[in-house]
Amino acid sequence: MEVNEANNLAIKRCLPNADDEQTEPEQYKKIKLSETGISSDTGKHTEIIEGGLQALPSQQNENNEKEDEEELDNAVLEDDEGDGDTFADMMKYGLVEQDVGITKFVSSHQGFSGILKERYSDFVVHEINKDGKMVVLDDLSVPADDEEPSEDIFSVLSAQDKQRLEDLQHFKNKEDSVVIEVVEDTKEKRTVIHQAVKSLFPGLETKTEEREGKKIIVAYHVAGKTALANPRKHSWPKSRGSYCHFVLYKENKDTMDAINVLSKYLRVKPNIFSYMGTKDKRAITVQEIAVVKITAQRLSHLNKCLMNFKLGNFSYKKYPLKLGELQGNHFTVVLRNITGSNQQVEQAMTSLRDTGFINYYGMQRFGTTAVPTYQVGKAILHNKWSEVMDLILKPRPGERGYLVKCREEWAKTKDPEAALKKLPVKRCVEGQLLRGLAKYGMKNIASAFGMIPRNNRLMYIHSYQSYVWNKIVSKRIEEYGLKAASGDLVLKGATAVPIEESDVEKHTIHDVVMPLPGFDVLYPKHKIGKAYEEMMAADGLDINNMKHKIRDYSLSGAYRKIIICPENVTWEILVYDDNKIPLVHTDVEKLEGTPLPESCKDGKYKALKMDFSLPPSTYATMAIREVLKMDTSIKNQTQLNTVWLR
C-alpha cells in the first residue's frame, strides 16, 4: 500500500452537519474493546444546541452517572440564527484537516469532487444491532394484545378534559383530582374513559363514584410526583414485557431532538427512553428505541400526527437498550455531480473496499468555531482554569446570534450575572459556566466549570487525546508506511503487546493499534513512542503523569486501530437531470410503495451512490475523504462555495 499526502483541495460543496460518527463513543467504558480496539472512561449524554452543549431536561443532574455520552459537535446555529452567509463568515476562522493531523491517504487513485448532502436524503443511516442485523422499518402493524385498550381512547376525552388532566398530571392546578362527566353513560363508555386516562396520562389513577344519582369518573395522582417519572407498575399486564421496543425512522432530526418530541407528545419524561446510539441531524436515520411501559398502540398513534417520523416494528421485551450495544451503522451515501471518470470511481471504491481508510477522528470532533475544543482540553489538563474560562467565554470572530451579546458583555464587564442576562438559552455550556461563576466566584473557576454536565467537560479533554492521536498516527504512517513494523502495538485480548522483529511478517497494518495518551496504556516501542512524549512535552504535558488532581480529568487512555476496512461495500454510478429528485429508496417509500424516479440514460449530472458498514467510533466522512481525496473541513469547503447547504 502506498501512502499519499493530503492535497489542499476541498469537496465541491460543503458537508453540512457532519453527522457521520458512529455513536458508541470510545470514552464509553473503561477497557471495552470493540472492532476498533477502543477503550476509555465513562461519561454522560448531552444534546447539542446553538453555540454550545445542552443537557437533556431529564439529564442535568450532575450526580446521575447513568447518563450516556455523545460526540461534541459544537453544533452550528439553527435556522433562525444562521443563514448561509453567517455560517460561511464563522467558518473563515475554523480549522482545516492539517490543523488536527489529518494529512495522509492510503490509496493512490486520483481524487475527484462531488457534492455530499445536497439533500439530507442523500445520507441514510441504518443501525446495526447487537446481533449484527441491520435495523429497518418494514412493519407498521401493532402486535396483537388482548389487554390493549381500544382506539377509542384517543377520542373519548374532550380537549378541555385533556388539558385539565395534563395540568393535574404536572401538578399545575390547585385541585388534587379532576372530575370527568360521562355523556351517554354506559359501563363500556366508562371503561374506555378509565383506559384513556391511564394510558395517556401516566401517574394518574381513576375511580367511578356516584354523585346526585349520576356516575362520574374521578382522576387523581396515585403516588405523588414520583408517578410522573415512573409509570404505575400495577396498571401494566404482568405477562407483557415492561419495555416496548420499536424502530424509529426520522428525517433531518437528531436522536435527542426526536426523543424530546416523542416525550412531549406522550407527556412523559425523556429518560424513560433508551437506545444503542445517537444519530445526528442532517440525514435519514433508522434505529431501535425502547421505552418503559408505553403501549405499541399509543406509539403507533404518533404516526398520524408527526411529520418526518415513522414508528414501527413494535415488540415487547423485558429489557431496555444500552448505549454501545450496537455493532455499528450501515451508510447509504450519494455524492452528486461527481467529476471523476468511471475508472477513477472504480479505483477509489475498490481501494476503500480492499484497503480501507485511515481511522482519523473527523473534523466535528474538534468543533466548528475559531476556538478548537482540544485547546480547552489542553488548558484543563494544565489546570489553567482562567484560560479554560477565557477560551469558552471570549468573543469568537465571525460568530453571530445570541451568544455574541453574551460574550461581548462578558469581555466588557467580567460580570457573570450580567452576561447571563444576555443569554436567552441558559443550558448551553456558556450558560452553565456563567451560572457556576455567579455561584462560586472568580477565585474558584474549577468548581464553576463543574456546573457543566460531566460528559460535556470530558469532551474537551477527549478532544485533546484525539488531536494527539491524529497527529501521531500521521507521523507513524510517514515513518513506517502501511505495513506492520517491529515495535508497533497489536491487541491480544484486552492487552496491547509490541510486535517483535521475528513476528513482523505475521501481522498487517490492519492489526496495528495506536494509543490515545493516558496513564494506563502502552506506547509503541519504536521512535513513534518517543514522538508521543515529545509532542506532549511541547504542549507542556508529561506523558508519564496523566493523572489530574481532579479525578474526572485523569486520562486512562485507549487503543484505536490505525486502518479500518468498511464491510458490505457496494457502489453504482447514476445519471440524473434534476438535482431535487431522490436517488435513495427509503424505508418509508418502500412501505408506501413509492417507486424511485426512473434514472435517465443521458442525464447531464453524474452521481456516485455508495453503501458501506462501519464499526462503532469511526467516521464516515473519513471514508468519503479517502474516496474523494479532498479536505472535509467546513472551513475549506466554505472558502470555495457560496452557500451553506440546508
Side-chain angles (χ1 to χ4, degrees), residues 59-168:
Q59 295 175 322
Q60 292 184 54
N61 184 345
E62 181 56 26
N63 296 317
N64 185 354
E65 298 298 333
K66 293 183 179 179
E67 294 173 14
D68 312 318
E69 180 175 345
E70 182 185 3
E71 183 59 56
L72 178 62
D73 272 337
N74 252 25
V76 301
L77 301 177
E78 292 293 346
D79 293 354
D80 59 340
E81 294 286 356
D83 58 20
D85 293 337
T86 298
F87 193 79
D89 287 344
M90 189 165 68
M91 286 304 98
K92 292 175 185 176
Y93 306 94
L95 299 168
V96 294
E97 287 184 348
Q98 190 171 358
D99 295 331
V100 294
I102 302 173
T103 60
K104 305 292 183 183
F105 294 103
V106 301
S107 58
S108 58
H109 73 272
Q110 183 181 349
F112 52 92
S113 69
I115 306 174
L116 175 60
K117 294 188 184 180
E118 181 164 32
R119 300 165 56 87
Y120 63 76
S121 57
D122 287 347
F123 201 93
V124 180
V125 187
H126 285 85
E127 199 167 62
I128 300 172
N129 66 21
K130 61 183 178 181
D131 298 321
K133 295 180 180 178
M134 191 166 78
V135 175
V136 296
L137 180 74
D138 57 11
D139 184 3
L140 300 181
S141 66
V142 174
D145 188 341
D146 294 338
E147 300 184 71
E148 194 78 66
S150 70
E151 275 285 326
D152 294 339
I153 68 168
F154 299 108
S155 57
V156 71
L157 296 172
S158 68
Q160 184 180 7
D161 285 338
K162 288 179 181 177
Q163 186 60 58
R164 290 165 62 219
L165 289 164
E166 184 174 352
D167 288 345
L168 176 66

Side-chain angles (χ1 to χ4, degrees), residues 356-510:
F357 62 96
I358 302 171
N359 194 20
Y360 286 124
Y361 287 95
M363 294 302 297
Q364 61 270 43
R365 183 73 164 180
F366 308 102
T368 56
T369 67
V371 180
T373 53
Y374 69 81
Q375 287 185 4
V376 181
K378 183 167 66 174
I380 293 169
L381 295 174
H382 273 296
N383 224 27
K384 294 181 178 178
W385 295 106
S386 292
E387 185 178 343
V388 171
M389 175 183 69
D390 289 339
L391 285 169
I392 293 174
L393 295 178
K394 71 180 182 181
R396 301 181 180 191
E399 190 173 58
R400 304 276 181 91
Y402 65 79
L403 274 171
V404 172
K405 292 181 180 178
C406 170
R407 296 190 195 281
E408 288 174 348
E409 182 66 30
W410 172 254
K412 183 172 65 176
T413 66
K414 290 295 187 288
D415 181 344
E417 292 184 349
L420 266 174
K421 289 178 182 177
K422 302 286 186 180
L423 195 60
V425 179
K426 305 292 193 292
R427 288 202 301 265
C428 61
V429 161
E430 294 83 357
Q432 297 280 16
L433 178 55
L434 288 168
R435 279 181 179 176
L437 291 169
K439 180 176 181 179
Y440 293 104
M442 300 287 283
K443 292 184 178 180
N444 195 355
I445 300 171
S447 294
F449 183 69
M451 291 285 286
I452 298 170
R454 179 176 181 270
N455 82 304
N456 295 30
R457 290 181 273 123
L458 296 182
M459 290 297 175
Y460 291 116
I461 56 175
H462 294 162
S463 177
Y464 178 74
Q465 283 182 304
S466 306
Y467 168 75
V468 172
W469 194 91
N470 279 3
K471 289 269 189 178
I472 298 296
V473 162
S474 290
K475 283 182 179 292
R476 157 62 183 79
I477 292 174
E478 183 175 333
E479 188 67 35
Y480 296 103
L482 293 168
K483 59 183 180 181
S486 176
D488 275 335
L489 301 179
V490 294
L491 291 172
K492 289 191 176 179
T495 305
V497 296
I499 300 176
E500 300 295 337
E501 185 69 47
S502 58
D503 293 331
V504 168
E505 297 301 321
K506 298 177 182 177
H507 297 283
T508 71
I509 191 66
H510 296 94

Side-chain angles (χ1 to χ4, degrees), residues 61 99 127 173 212 217 244 246 266 280 326 344 401 405 417 419 424 447 458 492 521 559 565 600 603:
N61 184 345
D99 295 331
E127 199 167 62
N173 53 9
E212 299 177 357
I217 292 175
C244 185
F246 62 95
L266 294 169
D280 291 318
L326 77 170
Q344 282 177 280
K405 292 181 180 178
E417 292 184 349
S447 294
L458 296 182
K492 289 191 176 179
V521 292
Y559 297 105
C565 256
C600 47

Side-chain angles (χ1 to χ4, degrees), residues 44 49 51 73 127 135 237 246 267 272 310 314 329 338 350 366 372 389 396 561 574 600 602:
K44 292 183 190 174
I49 62 168
D73 272 337
E127 199 167 62
V135 175
F246 62 95
R267 300 185 181 92
I272 71 169
K310 217 64 158 178
F314 303 102
N329 283 308
I338 60 170
T350 300
F366 308 102
M389 175 183 69
R396 301 181 180 191
K561 283 192 173 182
L574 307 172
C600 47
D602 300 313

